[in-house]
Amino acid sequence: MSDIEREVRAVAERARDAAAELAPLGRAVKDAALAALADALVKRSDEITAANAEDVERAREAGTGPAMIDRLTLTPRRIEDIAEAVRAVAELPDPVGEAVRGYVLPNGLDVRQIRVPLGVIGIVYEGRPNVTADAAALCLKSGNAALLRGSSSAYSSNTALIGVLRDALEGTGVPVDAIQMVPGRTRESSKALMRAHGLVDVLIPRGGRSLIQAVVRDSTVPVIETGEGLCHVYVDADADLGKAVDIAVNAKAQRCSVCNSAETLLVHEAAAEEFLARLLPALAEAGVTVHGDERVLEIAAARDTGATVVPATEEDWATEYLAMDLSVRVVPHIDEAIAHIRRYSTRHTEAIVTDSLKASRYFVSRVDSAAVMVNASTRFTDGGEFGFGAEIGISTQKLHARGPMGLTEMTSTKYVVTGDGHVR
């Protein structure tokens, strides 16, 4: 066993002990701790932004793109928003102890299924240091110990944030080791976390395809896949084109660097000419580059839209840009749109814009993604927008949890069976 593996297992063992202390704590204790975390984040904002500036400067020197720089950057205002998200988690109902179902058997045994924490949750994530506070808050409220492994690009930020959070737990009744940073900056520490089976109950990767696939491939700890979003918007023949333009622009351009932004737009051929004549200027104004199929290129060439339109390649349909780029394809019917989504989607979020109830029901019943929007932007797939408070991520797999993972999704269940001297 290497030195780094020993270090990782040591923090995992402390997390396991902390999880045992944290699980039975009542809501009042946990909420008071969350309030302390939020206050500390704001109070020590200067310390956090100074550490973050080191990460941002290194990223710029490394030639990191503006979208990734934006995800990395913390400002006093963003830290206040993070603190508010922590406070919002404190205001949410505590799922621990909630009775999922209960009944009395004919033999008199009382059976109850109740929610319990998962235990020790390891979170492996890229870039965005706000995940550090969000994950810590959600784990704490749901009674779980958090092992946080951010990317090396945000090492200074995460070190400062976790130091602030751990200091804030002193004297709250919540064990300090309920929030820990996984030691090490190399892939070896990540792999050691993935091999901590028996100490870590579940791993949640948040980031791009390569990170998620690496965790799924290498982990002996159960994994919940989250984050990668190759989201589609389909504009039907019966769409209200004004609504469709607004939804398409919002889904792409409102914030392009996040997993619920749209990457591909599919347009029914019956609506294509009029719709694209309206949409392309709006995308141009937003600064979006369109990667279009032959029909899109024809329509763009025939009209003075001001849009930047380049030929789409096969690679474009499978690309999560996380930038101001949008693949656009004209399809002959709804079934072709669904077939395209089935082939390229990461099963995160898809949207249909239509005034046809028949078309919307058809689309919803045949598209197999964590969230399906009808006449709404893909940008709404978010724990906060769904009323969950902060989220740990968007689960794109089907076991245990799917879609935005709030507090309830961070619990398991156990059966409590009460008898009166019953024997079988």
Side-chain angles (χ1 to χ4, degrees), residues 257-301:
S257 62
V258 290
C259 62
N260 59 13
S261 64
E263 306 292 15
T264 298
L265 175 70
L266 304 170
V267 186
H268 193 291
E269 63 181 6
E273 190 158 356
E274 183 179 353
F275 173 65
L276 291 174
R278 297 191 196 185
L279 176 69
L280 291 176
L283 291 177
E285 185 176 351
V288 176
T289 296
V290 172
H291 301 250
D293 69 0
E294 290 184 7
R295 183 63 180 130
V296 174
L297 293 171
E298 289 174 2
I299 294 171

Side-chain angles (χ1 to χ4, degrees), residues 338 341-342 345-350 362-372 396-398 402:
I338 293 170
I341 291 168
R342 187 176 296 126
S345 172
T346 55
R347 307 294 184 257
H348 188 297
T349 302
E350 328 301 343
Y362 189 85
F363 187 87
V364 167
S365 67
R366 285 163 175 78
V367 170
D368 183 21
S369 292
V372 182
T396 55
Q397 46 90 78
K398 297 185 180 182
R402 199 177 191 200

Side-chain angles (χ1 to χ4, degrees), residues 52-316:
N52 178 251
E54 298 174 9
D55 291 329
V56 171
E57 181 59 28
R58 282 194 297 269
R60 288 199 176 105
E61 290 175 357
T64 304
M68 295 298 106
I69 292 286
D70 177 63
R71 290 163 74 96
L72 176 64
T73 301
L74 292 176
T75 64
R77 177 60 192 169
R78 287 187 176 181
I79 292 172
E80 288 180 9
D81 290 342
I82 292 168
E84 283 304 310
V86 173
R87 293 190 181 98
V89 171
E91 294 174 1
L92 294 170
D94 186 350
V96 177
E98 173 190 337
V100 178
R101 57 180 169 175
Y103 47 89
V104 177
L105 295 172
N107 64 5
L109 281 175
D110 182 272
V111 180
R112 287 184 301 130
Q113 184 184 19
I114 62 171
R115 293 201 178 280
V116 295
L118 289 168
V120 178
I121 299 179
I123 299 100
V124 184
Y125 52 103
E126 293 177 328
R128 297 169 61 183
N130 66 291
V131 173
T132 301
D134 287 349
L138 281 165
C139 285
L140 192 160
K141 179 70 180 241
S142 56
N144 298 291
L147 288 178
L148 305 170
R149 177 53 167 86
S151 64
S152 59
S153 64
Y155 186 81
S156 297
S157 305
N158 291 332
T159 300
L161 282 164
I162 292 173
V164 168
L165 297 176
R166 284 172 59 84
D167 288 348
L169 288 182
E170 292 283 358
T172 65
V174 171
V176 172
D177 284 336
I179 301 172
Q180 294 186 80
M181 185 172 180
V182 176
R185 302 178 65 167
T186 67
R187 291 184 179 180
E188 187 180 358
S189 69
S190 295
K191 289 184 177 179
L193 180 63
M194 297 175 206
R195 291 192 293 264
H197 188 271
L199 295 174
V200 179
D201 293 288
V202 65
L203 276 180
I204 303 174
R206 287 192 57 169
R209 176 178 296 182
S210 61
L211 170 70
I212 294 169
Q213 289 181 343
V215 174
V216 171
R217 182 182 63 246
D218 297 336
S219 181
T220 61
V221 176
V223 177
I224 298 176
E225 299 179 46
T226 72
E228 187 184 6
L230 207 167
C231 303
H232 298 75
V233 176
Y234 166 60
V235 177
D236 188 47
D238 294 315
D240 178 309
L241 298 188
K243 291 179 183 177
V245 169
D246 290 343
I247 289 169
V249 172
N250 179 265
K252 176 70 265 181
Q254 194 262 342
R255 192 175 181 191
C256 66
S257 62
V258 290
C259 62
N260 59 13
S261 64
E263 306 292 15
T264 298
L265 175 70
L266 304 170
V267 186
H268 193 291
E269 63 181 6
E273 190 158 356
E274 183 179 353
F275 173 65
L276 291 174
R278 297 191 196 185
L279 176 69
L280 291 176
L283 291 177
E285 185 176 351
V288 176
T289 296
V290 172
H291 301 250
D293 69 0
E294 290 184 7
R295 183 63 180 130
V296 174
L297 293 171
E298 289 174 2
I299 294 171
R303 295 173 180 264
D304 183 17
T305 63
T308 300
V309 183
V310 299
T313 65
E314 177 62 27
E315 184 180 0
D316 283 315

Side-chain angles (χ1 to χ4, degrees), residues 379-400:
R379 290 283 288 116
F380 283 106
T381 304
D382 174 84
E385 296 293 336
F386 279 16
F388 300 165
E391 66 178 35
I392 202 72
I394 311 293
S395 170
T396 55
Q397 46 90 78
K398 297 185 180 182
L399 297 180
H400 167 60

